[in-house]
Amino acid sequence: MKPQEAVVKETRNIAVGTAVLVAIMYAVYAIVGRLDANVLLGGLYAGVVAVLNFFALGMTVQNAVDGIQSEDEAQSKNARSRVQLSYSMRTLAVFGLAVLAIAVLKLDPLASLLPLLFPRITIAVMSIKSHVSSKGSEKE
């Protein structure tokens, strides 16, 4: 199934936010004198995993919405089950990829885990920004 424009747009926003936060993380590592190849690769690796996880979430929700909009009750329940299964599988996959990065590839643990939180931070910042801009437009 082809991703809808909303999924592509939000994934792009998450990718940009994650990239900015990874760059800030790199700057902090550089300031404390710990920036090395394992940090660079860990941040890149985890940033890509985080964005792909978000995209997979978007596609799952897109498919589920298509299923829920049908009037068939069984199909609607099936869509909800698929979302729950997808969440579990994506969580397991992200955990496995994090273990791979740290235990097998020997990437910096913090740099390999921290970017997995960056989509949530990006969403929070976008929400605050949207809330503030809507408050500003109400005053006008």
Side-chain angles (χ1 to χ4, degrees):
M1 172 176 254
K2 183 178 180 188
Q4 294 176 355
E5 182 60 33
V7 173
V8 172
K9 178 185 174 201
E10 293 305 317
T11 302
R12 187 179 312 122
N13 290 340
I14 294 301
V16 169
T18 299
V20 167
L21 291 170
V22 167
I24 292 169
M25 180 184 75
Y26 288 161
V28 170
Y29 267 93
I31 290 168
V32 298
R34 293 209 38 231
L35 186 64
D36 62 16
N38 287 335
V39 170
L40 293 172
L41 291 174
L44 178 63
Y45 178 90
V48 169
V49 167
V51 172
L52 290 176
N53 183 43
F54 183 84
F55 178 74
L57 166 68
M59 290 303 295
T60 300
V61 170
Q62 175 184 313
N63 292 336
V65 167
D66 291 344
I68 291 171
Q69 288 176 345
S70 85
E71 298 198 16
D72 181 10
E73 184 66 27
Q75 191 174 4
S76 179
K77 286 182 181 179
N78 185 24
R80 288 185 185 97
S81 296
R82 282 183 289 159
V83 169
Q84 290 172 342
L85 177 63
S86 170
Y87 174 78
S88 298
M89 296 307 291
R90 286 184 298 102
T91 301
L92 187 60
V94 168
F95 176 76
L97 290 170
V99 168
L100 174 74
I102 296 166
V104 177
L105 300 176
K106 306 291 185 201
L107 300 177
D108 183 84
L110 186 59
S112 299
L113 294 174
L114 198 56
L116 298 175
L117 302 174
F118 291 169
R120 288 181 184 252
I121 295 169
T122 301
I123 291 167
V125 169
M126 288 172 23
S127 177
I128 291 168
K129 183 178 173 185
S130 173
H131 183 72
V132 168
S133 67
S134 70
K135 289 283 189 185
S137 64
E138 286 178 6
K139 290 181 181 179
E140 292 176 6

